[in-house]
Amino acid sequence: MTVSGHWGSSTSFDERHPSLGLFITFEGIDGSGKSTLAGSVFRKLAERLGTDRMVMTHEPGGWDGGEVLRETLIGGDLKSVLTETLLFLADRAEHVERVIRPGLGAGKVILCERYSDSTLAYQVFGKSFPRGVVEEISAGGRFPRPDLTFWLDVPVRVALGRIVARKGKPDRFEKDGPLLERIRLGYGTLCHEEPERVKRMDGTNDPGDLADTMVSSIMALLMKKGGWR
Ligand code: TMP
């Protein structure tokens, strides 16, 4: 599943972080089940590593004070994709400086729901915002690159069915089926570009099995990095 065209095909634009910590992100279209899975991966990992060693966070709004930006981005009615993209990146800049970078520096295992791949999938692939602008700003913020990204892939039809079952109605990002299709294809492209980092998980599989597979991959990476202590 690959999208080619004017978005370019460079690999990740952000930095590899040198710390012993581990930076894991969860990605996917709305209704892919990533929040539920991130929660169960957190609980399973915490049994092995202890909660002190772990940080569970999310974007947008995963920092003290970030709720205002989250509300503007999700509940608001922004007309410009430029405003939207810049606010997601601004939110990320605060999140990186306040939560992610300090956490990695302290050797923590960070589980983060949504990160840079969301901006590429939603704003760049979904809404045709220029990729180069996102990459330049991300480089300017020295956003650390995730060690591992789980892309929960589900068909749009399945995702929309789950959203309606959960909330009764989809929100402004979620109600646009063709947009979600472009976003899903965008994730496919990111996975194709960086197969070592972005792991596609079939989000229609049993959630317990998916969580076990994710925990095994994270533990393997932690051992490889020498961060198992
Ligand atoms: P969620 O926290 O429930 O996943 O909702 C976040 C929404 O924001 C979701 O529709 C995806 C969207 N989003 C973007 O469009 N770009 C981004 O960079 C991020 C982090 C999220």
Side-chain angles (χ1 to χ4, degrees), residues 7-25:
W7 296 291
S9 60
S10 61
T11 52
S12 181
F13 44 81
D14 29 32
E15 296 191 339
R16 279 199 181 282
H17 69 85
S19 70
L20 272 186
L22 212 53
F23 185 21
I24 312 292
T25 58

Side-chain angles (χ1 to χ4, degrees), residues 64-158:
D64 273 353
E67 277 311 309
V68 179
L69 268 184
R70 183 177 172 90
E71 181 51 37
T72 305
L73 281 162
I74 292 176
D77 187 22
L78 298 174
K79 297 286 181 228
S80 160
V81 67
L82 173 62
T83 316
E84 188 179 300
T85 306
L86 291 177
L87 289 183
F88 277 119
L89 291 167
D91 173 76
R92 182 156 312 130
E94 285 304 308
H95 190 216
V96 163
E97 295 311 330
R98 293 170 188 242
V99 179
I100 296 172
R101 216 187 299 286
L104 290 174
K108 308 247 179 188
V109 175
I110 300 185
L111 304 186
C112 183
E113 277 178 57
R114 298 199 179 284
Y115 187 64
S116 295
D117 295 305
S118 282
T119 312
L120 294 174
Y122 281 73
Q123 279 68 48
V124 173
F125 291 107
K127 301 187 178 181
S128 300
F129 189 80
R131 183 170 182 168
V133 177
V134 173
E135 291 180 342
E136 286 281 327
I137 294 173
S138 303
R142 297 179 48 249
F143 296 160
R145 162 147 102 167
D147 295 288
L148 184 61
T149 296
F150 295 113
W151 165 37
L152 272 166
D153 186 26
V154 294
V156 168
R157 174 181 47 79
V158 173

